Amino acid sequence: MVNIFAANKPEKIHIIIVAAGTGNRFGGNLPKQFALLAGRPVLMHTIEAFLSLDFKKDIILVLSESEIGRWQRLCEDFGFRSPRMICGGNTRTESVHNALDALEMNDSDIVLIHDGARPLVDRKTIEAVISRLCEPGVMAAIPCTTITDSLMTAVMDDSSSVDRALLVAVQTPQGFNAGVLTKAYSCMKDGASMTDDASAVSRYTGARIHLVEGSRTNMKITYPTDIRIAELFLTDKESL
């Protein structure tokens, strides 16, 4: 097994799983993180991916206040032990901010932020992010994959092609030095909202974002059809 802490082992690794979204694009009254995937809620698959890691970590789960009761009932029904829960905000930015406020961290710690609706994240991707963050001078590392589709920009009736070689598809977990991440969020004005933590760190601290290889199976559940695709990936994984 590769020692992911070979360069510089952090004092502690904190994992924030953000699952406070309403999932409007998923449709229906059930947020996507609670939809069943291979017989269990999506969010349970996500959490287990991090629980299985063999190093000391502090996991915190961010949920909408209105959905905490539902999650507790699901945990009871499935015999699942939930990580510590806190209430999210009206935006993803507010949810992450609430999580950071709830953590007891040193500036040298590592923080991973992961989407609750990415249940198929694998050990290799998580460890690649952590390993890069353990390298001297690295303050931020995120997984990504190359883009295979042709892309165009579209503004009103005008459009033009984009060189996909210059672009990547960004995934989570996104990993950061705790001090740099805290600084970025403390610099954000009230009401500011960003969908990507790395963008906030880059904008407000100037830290370089290091890219690591992600996985094409590390998909985000967005639409009901994504559940069926994720189940196919799970079936392939279990057959290996």
Side-chain angles (χ1 to χ4, degrees):
M1 180 181 294
V2 176
N3 181 8
I4 61 173
F5 303 119
N8 183 29
K9 185 175 181 179
E11 188 170 322
K12 199 168 187 181
I13 295 178
H14 307 269
I15 299 165
I16 299 172
I17 298 177
V18 185
T22 57
N24 291 331
R25 288 174 291 181
F26 192 75
N29 297 319
L30 185 68
K32 58 192 176 184
Q33 59 268 33
F34 303 129
L36 293 185
L37 169 62
R40 292 192 305 157
V42 164
L43 188 52
M44 290 183 185
H45 290 275
T46 305
I47 293 168
E48 284 187 337
F50 290 92
L51 288 174
S52 67
L53 299 171
D54 50 4
F55 54 78
K56 185 178 180 181
K57 62 269 184 186
D58 174 25
I59 302 177
I60 190 167
L61 176 62
V62 188
L63 294 168
S64 168
E65 185 175 7
S66 62
E67 295 294 347
I68 287 180
R70 188 202 300 267
W71 173 243
Q72 289 174 325
R73 290 190 295 273
L74 285 170
C75 288
E76 200 171 310
D77 291 344
F78 286 88
F80 187 83
R81 185 175 180 179
S82 175
R84 178 163 61 109
M85 297 174 285
I86 66 160
C87 294
N90 294 323
T91 65
R92 189 180 188 285
T93 298
E94 289 181 11
S95 293
V96 173
H97 208 157
N98 289 354
L100 292 175
D101 285 344
L103 291 173
E104 294 183 4
M105 302 184 295
N106 293 322
D107 284 351
S108 59
D109 290 351
I110 282 176
V111 182
L112 303 183
I113 305 176
H114 188 66
D115 298 325
R118 287 188 189 269
L120 303 184
V121 62
D122 60 8
R123 176 187 294 266
K124 182 179 179 182
T125 299
I126 299 169
E127 292 186 347
V129 172
I130 296 171
S131 181
R132 182 59 63 87
L133 283 167
C134 289
E135 294 177 9
V138 176
M139 298 289 108
I142 63 174
C144 63
T145 59
T146 57
I147 293 174
T148 57
D149 292 327
S150 294
L151 301 173
M152 300 187 76
T153 59
V155 181
M156 299 299 287
D157 294 327
D158 188 25
S159 62
S160 58
S161 61
V162 177
D163 184 358
R164 66 188 179 200
L166 301 176
L167 302 173
V168 293
V170 172
Q171 301 178 336
T172 66
Q174 297 189 358
F176 307 94
N177 164 269
V180 167
L181 182 64
T182 301
K183 178 182 177 181
Y185 271 86
S186 66
C187 289
M188 295 177 71
K189 297 179 180 179
D190 291 342
S193 180
M194 303 191 78
T195 59
D196 178 66
D197 303 293
S199 298
V201 167
S202 178
R203 176 180 296 182
Y204 292 104
T205 73
R208 176 186 171 189
I209 308 300
H210 294 256
L211 304 181
V212 303
E213 184 178 357
S215 169
R216 297 200 182 279
T217 61
N218 185 18
M219 61 184 291
K220 186 175 183 180
I221 304 297
T222 303
Y223 302 103
T225 52
D226 292 334
I227 292 289
R228 294 197 289 274
I229 296 170
E231 286 179 338
L232 289 173
F233 283 139
L234 272 177
T235 300
D236 287 345
K237 180 180 178 182
E238 290 168 357
S239 66
L240 296 177

